[in-house]
Amino acid sequence: MQEIDILDYHLHSFFSIPSSRFMDIPHMVEYAKVKGVTILGTGDIFLPKWKEQISKNLSFENGFYYFGDFPFILTGEVNLTFERDRKKSFHVVLAFPTIKDVEEFEKAFKKFSNFEIIARPNIKVTPKEFVRILKNINPSVPIILAHIFTPHYGALGSSNNFESLKEIFETDFIDNLFIETGLSADPKMVYSVSELRMYPILSSSDSHSPTHIGREATATKKASGFYELFENLKDVSNNFTIENFPQLGKYYLDGHRKCKYKTNDFSVSICPVCGKYLTKGVLHRVEELGKTPQNNVSTLKYFYFIPLEEILNRTYKKSEQGKIYLTLISEFGNELNVVLFSDLNDVALFVNDKTLRYLEHIRNGLLNFEYGYDGVYGDWEVKVA
């Protein structure tokens, strides 16, 4: 069987608001191993204080940065902000082969940003100019459009109201560009938009705490270093992603959080409670751009995932959960194996009937959802037989 890597590249350090104080290198690695992630992004690579932590804790060898035997790639998120009729902005995750490439990036964009202040720096430049400058630094630096459909900071989110990437970047194709699904979308939704089928899809946790590492991730052929990793990630036919059920994402449906109102009726744009505009959710946005998302099939394989602790919270008494969790990790290696990949006949030897039924329902997508909307995460329960 071919060896694979499970990559979670989009994360935030404990310096980033509102991250957990445990988002340091040792805790990130500890939780990644338990979750089943084999390569992490550092996140926040532009923040000087975090960069110091990375320099102290990680050593470069054979194309990756290592903490002990665990590999990292250097990643950071930026917010492109620019005028196009009005102010618009969206988030981009960047990955760098070396610290030197990071320094060259900061030098080139210094006049457009301040890299000393926040973990996700604002870069005031047009998307077209951003790509031009970046390619002059190192054309191998991948551009990852973060959570592409989310309303406020997704490149194709409702706040920007762009119709296409061509409109955004003023070109037909961008080399080394990747699309990130985000927690409120999955590959089928992404590839329902015909233009996006030109680009490889990635998924990542956007985690601000160790417990959320791996809630979304990307699996690909095992790589010996940075460049091989991203070449492998372009080969969609050999990859798969780990996906949050998009219905649970906090921007899935249209709605208004303050009034606790949500709807899947796309003809409703005004909150009936207060009269203000609803926040247009990802499902609505995908329908606008892709027209018929339900009729499209992704060329990328993917698996929906619910964290193991979340399952055990519903199937065991609180006093029993910790022991069962540790037993399962000891027997099957990590959470991804327990929830998705191990034979359920083997898992059944260690869990009660209710847990086994929950795992079966999750693997088969047989869940009922309380949909997420306007910054509110959704909830789930197994369907009653």
Side-chain angles (χ1 to χ4, degrees), residues 145-359:
L145 298 182
H147 39 73
I148 189 169
F149 298 123
T150 52
H152 303 301
Y153 293 105
L156 291 176
S158 58
S159 292
N160 289 322
N161 204 34
F162 287 118
E163 292 299 312
S164 66
L165 297 187
K166 181 178 180 179
E167 180 185 0
I168 295 172
F169 291 99
E170 303 175 77
T171 186
D172 289 330
F173 182 79
I174 306 103
D175 188 42
N176 224 22
L177 183 95
F178 295 80
I179 308 297
E180 182 182 273
T181 59
L183 297 175
S184 299
D186 61 23
K188 184 178 74 170
M189 294 167 74
V190 173
Y191 279 159
S192 73
V193 182
S194 59
E195 179 197 34
L196 301 184
R197 296 173 199 156
M198 295 189 292
Y199 300 103
I201 288 175
L202 303 179
S203 291
S204 194
S205 67
D206 197 359
S207 177
H208 289 74
S209 72
T211 56
H212 286 153
I213 287 173
R215 63 180 174 182
E216 292 206 329
T218 304
T220 189
K221 186 169 64 174
K222 200 163 189 67
S224 59
F226 178 94
Y227 292 106
E228 185 180 5
L229 172 64
F230 277 93
E231 282 303 309
N232 292 347
L233 289 169
K234 293 177 182 179
D235 185 4
V236 174
S237 63
N238 281 323
N239 299 338
F240 65 84
T241 60
I242 305 300
E243 299 289 333
N244 180 65
F245 284 93
Q247 298 91 334
L248 302 176
K250 62 181 181 178
Y251 290 109
Y252 184 68
L253 285 188
D254 299 358
H256 188 200
R257 174 172 48 183
K258 185 176 181 181
C259 295
K260 298 181 180 179
Y261 175 80
K262 58 184 171 183
T263 180
N264 59 3
D265 183 349
F266 299 156
S267 69
V268 178
S269 60
I270 302 296
C271 176
V273 180
C274 68
K276 294 183 178 180
Y277 279 103
L278 301 178
T279 298
K280 188 181 292 184
V282 168
L283 185 66
H284 189 172
R285 191 69 182 127
V286 168
E287 193 276 341
E288 287 182 331
L289 295 167
K291 308 307 179 188
T292 54
Q294 69 276 11
N295 294 330
N296 285 275
V297 177
S298 172
T299 54
L300 174 69
K301 296 186 290 292
Y302 57 97
F303 300 88
Y304 293 124
F305 174 74
I306 301 279
L308 180 57
E309 287 180 317
E310 198 172 325
I311 298 167
L312 298 180
N313 282 343
R314 298 163 191 249
T315 60
Y316 280 93
K317 294 178 182 179
K318 189 174 183 179
S319 60
E320 300 172 311
Q321 292 168 18
K323 181 179 179 181
I324 295 296
Y325 181 89
L326 291 175
T327 297
L328 290 171
I329 297 302
S330 176
E331 290 293 332
F332 299 100
N334 58 65
E335 281 196 30
L336 289 177
N337 284 341
V338 176
V339 178
L340 296 179
F341 304 126
S342 294
D343 190 317
L344 287 180
N345 290 323
D346 295 332
V347 178
L349 299 174
F350 301 95
V351 300
N352 60 23
D353 290 344
K354 188 175 183 181
T355 303
L356 191 65
R357 180 164 61 89
Y358 271 49
L359 290 171

